[in-house]
Amino acid sequence: MADRDGTGGGSGGGPGDAAASPPTPASDPPTAPAAPAAPAARQQAVEPDAESPVSDPEPGASADADSKNIVCMVGAGISTSAGIPDFRSPGTGLYSNLQSYNLPYPEAIFEIRFFKKHPEPFFALARELYPGQFKPTVCHYFMRLLQDKGLLLRCYTQNIDTLERVAGLDPELLVEAHGTFFTSHCLRPSCRQRYSLAWMRERIFSSLVPKCEKCQGLVKPDIVFFGESLPARFFTLLESDFEKVDLLIIMGTSLQVQPFASLISRVPTNTPRLLINKEKTGQGDPLMSLMGFGGMDFDSDKAYRDVAWLGDCDSGCLALAELLGWKEELEELVRREHAAIDAKAGDRDGDPPQKHRGHEDKDGGSPKKSLGDKEKTQSDPKKSLGDKAKAEKDPKKPQGDKEKTQNDPEKSQGGQ
């Protein structure tokens, strides 16, 4: 599965990506989202606030008033509030809780060679993580708003939970870098018969190892395991997408898995990059930065385009939506879509609508509680992002090799 890399994934903002696929670890409200204001564009000075979760922007940068080609890079951290664990968070991550599967080492469950010989552990785990048991989070629906407003150029996800699709993202605007559960194929090269999500689900929940109806070969969901290449679509689209992007939003990923993590350095040098995450990540070595291979720079004297909003991803998206004048629209979208999912589940089961796993079980499904409730581990968005009294920087300011082979099947479903 795609690796939900995660060291801090938590409610959608951890560096870990939720049960995702496994690639190789590497070291007047605006009508369009205004690009995170570059320091030079700010007319009013603010004093630094020690408690602010946003890095202090530096003077000297310029940015267009509006962003119309937004690329989102997401990992497991955007799905943890739905109840899906990330991979790497100590204690709570997937890799820390696989003892019952008697694996030689945790990552083996996502290694293609191990899977071909011993598929049972993976399919047992798949029953716990299978799509259809979880609802999209506020973060997923924020990206849906970007799409509906014609602002989303593409979403690159490490996750394999398919929640982007459930949230209504157009498959054409989606790049599932670490694959997906949505389709499956027979592993025999001479066959490669394709199977649907429903077909695979029936077998997994019947505790059967899925076998091809045509040749009796082993059938695997189309998620990227360690030792497999990323989908061709990933490499095909990134070339054009990352030339046009005018705002990069990175959410819920530790940026430890390549080649996904390298995308942050492919954006134009004047493109702002916004990180919404539990902790700062993607920072590069200063010397390598001088050579053009650096990562994010939030704190140095030369920082000019990178902004970090630290906290869970749902709260960060709610805060950004509030700054854009979209907060009520986003909350209503979440309520409406979750109600539709519950109604569909009730019709299917013949019982009253059931709650899917996730934050709704704890707070009644209120997006306000899952994202903006101060008592729920996240500060008031106004205080953390837009309040002058808090001297917070406006989080609108983000930016930024192609390894054809991926050895780490991390997928966010996980924040890689």
Side-chain angles (χ1 to χ4, degrees), residues 142 145 316-328 330 385:
F142 178 77
L145 272 187
C317 287
L318 190 67
L320 183 53
E322 185 169 24
L323 290 172
L324 295 167
W326 302 351
K327 181 181 177 183
E328 292 184 3
L330 176 58
L385 277 181

Side-chain angles (χ1 to χ4, degrees), residues 5 20 25 84 91 109 118 146 179 213 227 232 238 264 269 298 314 326 350 353 357:
D5 76 335
I84 304 175
I109 202 165
H118 308 285
L146 291 178
E213 296 175 351
L238 71 82
I264 63 171
T269 56
F298 305 111
D314 284 346
W326 302 351
R357 298 155 100 175

Side-chain angles (χ1 to χ4, degrees), residues 285-411:
D285 178 85
L287 181 58
M288 295 298 288
S289 297
L290 293 176
M291 300 171 63
F293 298 103
M296 310 280 280
D297 182 0
F298 305 111
D299 307 309
S300 81
D301 293 340
K302 295 183 179 180
Y304 68 98
R305 63 169 177 168
D306 296 333
V307 170
W309 190 93
L310 304 184
D312 68 83
C313 289
D314 284 346
S315 297
C317 287
L318 190 67
L320 183 53
E322 185 169 24
L323 290 172
L324 295 167
W326 302 351
K327 181 181 177 183
E328 292 184 3
E329 185 179 1
L330 176 58
E331 291 176 340
E332 176 56 30
L333 177 61
V334 173
R335 282 191 289 268
R336 185 175 67 249
E337 293 293 321
H338 280 188
I341 291 172
D342 286 338
K344 185 176 181 180
D347 291 342
R348 182 177 63 240
D349 300 336
D351 296 319
Q354 297 179 346
K355 284 186 178 180
H356 287 215
R357 298 155 100 175
H359 57 262
E360 291 111 322
D361 294 333
K362 294 184 285 186
D363 56 45
S366 169
K368 294 181 180 178
K369 291 197 174 187
S370 64
L371 280 182
D373 193 340
K374 197 174 184 177
E375 297 177 0
K376 283 281 183 183
T377 74
Q378 173 65 40
S379 339
D380 185 336
K382 293 182 179 178
K383 294 193 175 186
S384 59
L385 277 181
D387 195 338
K388 288 181 187 176
K390 273 291 187 180
E392 180 86 31
K393 307 299 185 196
D394 185 337
K396 296 178 176 184
K397 183 186 177 181
Q399 220 210 31
D401 273 293
K402 176 165 135 181
E403 298 178 14
K404 289 250 178 184
T405 301
Q406 166 169 335
N407 297 320
D408 182 62
E410 278 197 359
K411 176 167 182 169

Side-chain angles (χ1 to χ4, degrees), residues 21 43 147 169 206 228 289 295 397:
S21 103
Q43 299 299 317
Q147 169 188 279
L169 287 193
S206 297
E228 296 188 303
S289 297
K397 183 186 177 181

Side-chain angles (χ1 to χ4, degrees), residues 241-323:
D241 287 350
F242 283 80
E243 289 179 355
K244 294 185 288 188
V245 57
D246 52 22
L247 172 60
L248 181 66
I249 303 179
I250 305 143
M251 300 184 282
T253 172
S254 58
L255 293 175
Q256 292 182 10
V257 177
Q258 297 291 0
F260 188 89
S262 68
L263 297 184
I264 63 171
S265 64
R266 300 183 69 99
V267 301
T269 56
N270 63 340
T271 296
R273 301 181 293 193
L274 169 63
L275 174 71
I276 299 177
N277 208 46
K278 285 284 190 180
E279 61 190 34
K280 292 177 183 178
T281 188
Q283 292 156 292
D285 178 85
L287 181 58
M288 295 298 288
S289 297
L290 293 176
M291 300 171 63
F293 298 103
M296 310 280 280
D297 182 0
F298 305 111
D299 307 309
S300 81
D301 293 340
K302 295 183 179 180
Y304 68 98
R305 63 169 177 168
D306 296 333
V307 170
W309 190 93
L310 304 184
D312 68 83
C313 289
D314 284 346
S315 297
C317 287
L318 190 67
L320 183 53
E322 185 169 24
L323 290 172

